[in-house]
Structure formats: structure tokens, C-alpha cells
Amino acid sequence: MKTLVISDQALTVFALSEVLKQCDPTIQVVGAAHLGEAAARLEQEADFELIVLDIDIPGIHRTLGVNWVRQKWPDIPLTVLSAVEPDDDVVRSVDAGAMGYFVKTTDTELLVHAFKQVLAGGFYLPEISPPSVSWEDLRQANA
């Protein structure tokens, strides 16, 4: 299985590679530092089975990158990585077609569990803080 990690931070790509290898030791992780490099990789190598997009990359406006990836490669499962705790970006990302939203501070064991869910065709969404706010409340606030 081949995964494309789009992040401008080499440490993030390395760390996600290690997490993904805990899900499946055969996973090959390819890094791309920006959307242009990601596009080139996706055009040259058509066998990616997962895309992980760091929405904190300079030069993209958070979920606009999610929309762009979904429009260009709608058939490749997409997950989003962010340094920001869950907020309305989660709703926008999922509405745009992301199958998961991960915060960079997430515990490794939980990340492994979450990626396994996504790799099996499921979804992963983080807990919302405060717990009195529901996903439906966030979705309605962004409507």
C-alpha cells in the first residue's frame, strides 16, 4: 500500500510514516512538501491508496486544500492532519470528502486505531471539546 503525506514538515512525514507502519508494515509513505509536489507525485504514480493532508501548510487556506485534493483525486481516501484542535475545519473537511481528521497532538496509539479505521474504509473524527457541542451543532453553525 502506498500513502502520500502532504506536509511541509519532514518530521511530520517521518512520524506519520512510523504510525502508518504500525497499521500495516508494508505501507510505503511518500512525502510531498506542498500541493504542487503532491500533484506531480499523484500524476506520476497512480497507485496511491491514501492521502494525508496537513492543512497547516503555508500557502493554502486550510480546507481549500481539502477541496482541491478531493476535486482532483476523488477516488483516493483522504485524511486531514491539523495542529489546531477540532473546530469548524472538521465539518468542512468531512463535507468535502475527508474520511478522517487528526490533530498533531493525538496519542500514537489512538492514531494507529484511527488510521486502521480509515484504511478499512471507515471514518475517524476526534472528540469535540467542549462535549456539550455536537457535530450537528458545528454543521448547522457552518451552514
Side-chain angles (χ1 to χ4, degrees):
M1 168 182 269
K2 192 187 275 187
T3 299
L4 179 65
V5 176
I6 307 168
S7 176
D8 63 325
Q9 298 176 354
L11 184 57
T12 298
V13 174
F14 174 78
L16 283 174
S17 175
E18 294 302 304
V19 167
L20 287 162
K21 286 178 183 175
Q22 289 182 43
C23 298
D24 178 352
T26 66
I27 287 180
Q28 177 188 359
V29 175
V30 176
H34 51 79
L35 292 178
E37 183 181 355
R41 293 236 185 228
L42 287 160
E43 295 295 332
Q44 294 167 0
E45 306 170 43
D47 56 345
F48 286 99
E49 296 181 48
L50 177 66
I51 299 171
V52 180
L53 173 63
D54 181 348
I55 62 172
D56 299 314
I57 295 174
I60 65 169
H61 185 267
R62 314 227 9 107
T63 54
L64 290 180
V66 177
N67 291 326
W68 181 79
V69 171
R70 286 282 40 101
Q71 288 171 2
K72 300 280 261 173
W73 299 279
D75 298 330
I76 302 174
L78 170 69
T79 61
V80 172
L81 179 70
S82 177
V84 178
E85 289 298 317
D87 60 8
D88 56 345
D89 282 341
V90 178
V91 173
R92 288 189 195 114
S93 296
V94 171
D95 283 348
M99 296 177 67
Y101 186 98
F102 308 98
V103 180
K104 290 179 181 178
T105 57
T106 302
D107 175 75
T108 301
E109 188 174 310
L110 180 56
L111 273 176
V112 170
H113 168 75
F115 272 115
K116 282 182 179 180
Q117 274 185 243
V118 170
L119 291 169
F123 286 83
Y124 174 79
L125 298 174
E127 293 293 322
I128 300 175
S129 182
S132 61
V133 177
S134 71
W135 285 111
E136 190 56 37
D137 291 340
L138 280 174
R139 182 165 272 123
Q140 288 176 0
N142 285 296

